[in-house]
Amino acid sequence: MYVCLCNGHTSQQLETLARSGVACVEHAYEILGGSPACRRCVDYAEAILADAGPDAPNHNRTMKRSVTPEAGAPAP
């Protein structure tokens, strides 16, 4: 799923970076070739990096996230 529409970054790309140890959104975007432009995606991207990172309890599984990419607010 697309997380950042400005740069075209996907949740799969961010999960891959998280599993390799990237925990900072700005660093992840730099690796992917961009930077957060409108910044609407930052909270969701941070949640993905935290959920899929090497210190996450089930980092090899897809995690449910509590933040929606559109609004940046807790999911119902």
Side-chain angles (χ1 to χ4, degrees):
M1 168 171 57
Y2 283 99
V3 174
C4 176
L5 297 178
C6 295
N7 291 294
H9 301 323
T10 65
S11 56
Q12 293 82 11
Q13 290 172 314
L14 292 170
E15 287 169 356
T16 299
L17 289 175
R19 285 191 290 273
S20 70
V22 176
C24 172
V25 172
E26 284 79 10
H27 186 221
Y29 278 42
E30 182 181 309
I31 291 168
L32 294 171
S35 63
C38 75
R39 302 195 66 84
R40 293 184 72 197
C41 60
V42 170
D43 289 340
Y44 190 56
E46 285 175 344
I48 291 171
L49 293 175
D51 286 350
D55 295 331
N58 295 308
H59 73 275
N60 289 324
R61 288 196 254 162
T62 302
M63 306 295 285
K64 290 187 178 184
R65 291 168 187 87
S66 61
V67 179
T68 59
E70 299 83 13

